[in-house]
Amino acid sequence: MVDHEVDTSAGTAVVDADTVDRRGVDGVLARVRAGAGELTGALRRVAEHVLSDPEAAARATIVELAERSGTSPATITRFCRAMGFDGYADLRLGIASETGRARSAGWTVDIGREIQPGDPLQRVLGQIIAADTRAMHDTAALLDLVEVERAAVAIAGAARVNIFGASGSALVGEEMQFSLHRIGVAAWAWSDVHEGLASAALLGTGDVALGISHTGQTRETIEMLAEAGSRGATTVALTGFPRSPLAELADIVLLTASQATTFRPDALSARHPQLVVLDLLYIAVAQRTHDRAHAAFRRTAQAVDGHKAAKGAS
């Protein structure tokens, strides 16, 4: 199952971009003021928040703006389209330019621009690096290191760790399972809901379950993590949405950010930030089990060493 971003904000108005008359309105903030009167519900709250503090809005990530306006990233995206912008990056850059806080020209203000089919690979590479770099910085700003510490302590002391994810999130989960296994942590990664539920049902107090879903809306992952939690396991959610169903049921929430481009929607662009957070968690676990982890890593490395190509072999 592929993650889908679903907006669950109450009172969100359905407004097509063409319903807001922006003819003759050049400035970004003037455009927002002109269209705000035709918006209702969650979209209206976003407009009011942007107008109340444009400079803060220009500095905020899409997740931060959603939290401050009491909405969701999906609502922010719809708001941008209603205002005639291709995405949040364009809106933020426009506001920053008007408030005199635009950054110097170059890739730092170019993140989020649409990648065209005819773009040279050099520009595509720059876009990918820029988007990933920004996503890493935004993730670092969002991440609560106290929560990472809690998760690391729980995993370090766990008899069993289950990792749940679907589609692309399953691939990230398998990478984490492999890393933990190399340092002697009994970890399993599950993507099939039947197998995952059966395994989750065998967890108990002292065990850990990690659910991975960028949107936090993936039903199978939610079900598996909920089953683990009902058996007494400590539950950890890795997601980009702090108010998502997955985050709501977890004991510990680790947040990531993403920078989508034309050919890399949020669900794909979230992979690198997810891996960074899980790498941090893995190292934190290794630190807390240093002697055991070091010995296990040495033994596992020796076990596979014979399958490496000999030096000088063609």
Side-chain angles (χ1 to χ4, degrees):
M1 176 177 178
V2 178
D3 288 352
H4 294 285
E5 183 174 311
V6 178
D7 180 24
T8 57
S9 298
T12 299
V14 178
V15 178
D16 188 89
D18 294 334
T19 64
V20 180
D21 186 3
R22 297 176 302 277
R23 291 172 296 180
V25 182
D26 296 326
V28 175
L29 297 179
R31 188 187 304 182
V32 174
R33 291 190 190 96
E38 298 182 39
L39 302 176
T40 59
L43 294 179
R44 179 65 177 268
R45 293 202 300 275
V46 177
E48 291 173 347
H49 184 80
V50 168
L51 293 173
S52 68
D53 194 349
E55 293 182 359
R59 295 191 300 270
T61 66
I62 189 170
V63 175
E64 290 170 343
L65 183 58
E67 290 182 344
R68 293 171 188 174
S69 60
T71 60
S72 74
T75 298
I76 303 299
T77 299
R78 281 205 296 277
F79 171 78
C80 294
R81 291 170 181 164
M83 293 296 106
F85 294 97
D86 292 331
Y88 181 64
D90 289 335
L91 172 67
R92 185 164 69 169
L93 180 57
I95 297 173
S97 297
E98 276 197 36
T99 57
R101 293 181 179 271
R103 288 183 251 181
S104 59
W107 67 263
T108 55
V109 296
D110 203 29
I111 297 172
R113 279 187 54 192
E114 297 297 315
I115 296 175
Q116 301 300 322
D119 283 347
L121 288 180
Q122 184 65 35
R123 182 180 183 277
V124 174
L125 176 61
Q127 286 293 103
I128 292 173
I129 292 175
D132 284 348
T133 300
R134 181 65 186 184
M136 301 299 182
H137 285 293
D138 287 348
T139 295
L142 281 174
L143 193 59
D144 187 341
L145 295 182
V146 173
E147 293 289 271
V148 176
E149 172 78 21
R150 289 180 59 205
V153 170
I155 292 173
R160 181 185 178 100
V161 177
N162 271 8
I163 303 169
F164 306 120
S167 188
S169 295
L171 300 177
V172 175
E174 289 173 2
E175 180 73 17
M176 183 60 170
Q177 184 270 336
F178 175 75
S179 296
L180 291 175
H181 193 73
R182 287 291 302 272
I183 60 172
V185 176
W188 287 262
W190 305 98
S191 57
D192 180 87
V193 66
H194 294 279
E195 295 176 349
L197 285 172
S199 183
L202 298 178
L203 297 179
T205 303
D207 295 326
V208 175
L210 168 63
I212 304 172
S213 170
H214 172 61
T215 64
Q217 300 279 353
T218 306
R219 187 179 65 185
E220 291 86 345
T221 304
I222 293 169
E223 290 178 355
M224 292 185 284
L225 196 68
E227 176 66 26
S230 72
R231 302 293 176 174
T234 299
T235 53
V236 183
L238 178 65
T239 180
F241 296 85
R243 294 190 178 91
S244 64
L246 187 70
E248 290 292 339
L249 67 84
D251 299 313
I252 301 170
V253 179
L254 307 179
L255 293 176
T256 62
S258 63
Q259 289 287 331
T261 60
T262 306
F263 301 105
R264 293 173 73 209
D266 278 345
L268 291 178
S269 59
R271 297 296 171 250
H272 289 160
Q274 286 175 338
L275 287 170
V276 167
V277 173
L278 291 179
D279 197 33
L280 173 64
L281 180 58
Y282 153 71
I283 292 173
V285 172
Q287 287 177 317
R288 284 149 187 79
T289 59
H290 180 269
D291 292 342
R292 183 184 73 185
H294 181 70
F297 194 85
R298 186 176 63 251
R299 290 198 300 270
T300 55
Q302 289 173 346
V304 301
D305 190 61
H307 289 270
K308 296 180 180 179
K311 292 183 178 180
S314 57

